[in-house]
Amino acid sequence: MTKTPFYTASELIDAENAQDPNSELFESKSYPKELLYSKRMYTQLMEFYPEASEEVQIASKAQHICRWKIARNSYPMDRLGYLTWRGELKKFHAGTTASILEKVGYDAAFITRVSFLIEKKQLKKDEETQLLEDVICLVFLEFYLDPFVQKHDREKMKNIILKTWSKMSDKGHQEALKINYSATNLQLIKESLGL
């Protein structure tokens, strides 16, 4: 069987993320954190929008590629430090992915588009950037909301939920309300959104 560039790129992205020294337990099994995140992103994308382009599919897998290599605490622990860190991460994820895509033979236009998506350019204006953002928010709400709730007070959580909601499309909102939340978290979401 001849491996397609998409298959080979996916394998290489997984191989990079499998090196994450941080692990996460899921259903009694331990996974490298960013490998698990990548798989959740891709699965969510294909459930939410199965006809997604190859560019979006790769951007979903590589959204956090090698994220552990740029630590949050290497930037000042304030709002500006946080925003600078996030900006650097986007460029780093896009650049790391571009190198892989070049290696497996994708053309420059394809690579530029994937980088554009990973850097989340023109959110609310570009349909595919918006699609990717919806998927990011859905993955957050399904898998990462609960750990956040354990760490932050109720007012901060309401703010986080509102910010997440404001980034999503109407279709994303409809999908988000189908997630099987705990009773407590569902109540928190409803309070945050005034539902």
Side-chain angles (χ1 to χ4, degrees):
M1 181 187 103
T2 312
K3 290 182 180 177
T4 62
F6 178 79
Y7 185 89
T8 309
S10 297
E11 279 192 324
L12 291 171
I13 290 165
D14 283 351
E16 289 292 335
N17 279 330
Q19 294 172 48
D20 190 349
N22 307 295
S23 58
E24 186 176 330
L25 268 180
F26 180 61
E27 294 176 343
S28 307
K29 196 176 166 201
S30 181
Y31 296 87
K33 192 176 170 193
E34 295 309 344
L35 180 63
L36 182 60
Y37 180 79
S38 173
K39 290 185 179 304
R40 284 170 168 168
M41 282 288 297
Y42 183 69
T43 302
Q44 180 66 68
L45 173 67
M46 298 322 283
E47 283 171 8
F48 181 60
Y49 196 76
E51 55 274 32
S53 71
E54 209 164 294
E55 290 91 336
V56 182
Q57 289 181 46
I58 285 176
S60 76
K61 286 171 173 277
Q63 191 60 38
H64 279 184
I65 191 168
C66 299
R67 192 181 187 88
W68 66 93
K69 292 185 178 179
I70 302 180
R72 168 65 186 98
N73 62 11
S74 57
Y75 292 84
M77 297 305 282
D78 55 16
R79 179 85 184 136
L80 183 60
Y82 173 76
L83 293 173
T84 309
W85 172 67
R86 289 296 299 267
E88 289 302 313
L89 275 174
K90 283 180 192 173
K91 285 186 219 153
F92 169 69
H93 297 322
T96 306
T97 308
S99 302
I100 288 172
L101 297 179
E102 275 169 33
K103 204 183 293 179
V104 303
Y106 278 106
D107 65 29
F110 186 97
I111 295 167
T112 300
R113 181 64 181 161
V114 172
S115 296
F116 176 97
L117 293 167
I118 289 175
E119 292 187 48
K120 294 199 280 190
K121 291 185 175 173
Q122 293 189 13
L123 185 59
K124 300 283 185 191
K125 291 182 186 157
D126 184 280
E127 277 184 23
E128 290 189 320
T129 301
Q130 185 57 55
L131 170 60
L132 192 62
E133 186 63 47
D134 277 344
V135 171
I136 290 164
C137 293
L138 289 166
V139 167
F140 169 72
L141 289 167
E142 183 166 359
F143 297 105
Y144 302 97
L145 179 65
D146 212 46
F148 266 71
V149 169
Q150 315 300 331
K151 281 195 297 193
H152 301 293
D153 66 55
R154 202 165 181 81
E155 286 314 304
K156 169 113 183 178
M157 278 315 303
K158 283 185 182 177
N159 193 27
I160 289 170
I161 290 165
L162 269 176
K163 277 189 178 159
T164 303
W165 209 255
S166 71
K167 292 177 189 172
M168 298 171 81
S169 67
D170 290 343
K171 188 179 178 215
H173 293 155
Q174 288 162 22
E175 198 66 22
L177 291 171
K178 294 179 195 166
I179 292 169
N180 188 17
Y181 302 103
S182 69
T184 322
N185 287 350
L186 183 58
Q187 184 54 39
L188 178 63
I189 288 167
K190 285 182 170 174
E191 268 182 47
S192 308
L193 304 174
L195 296 175

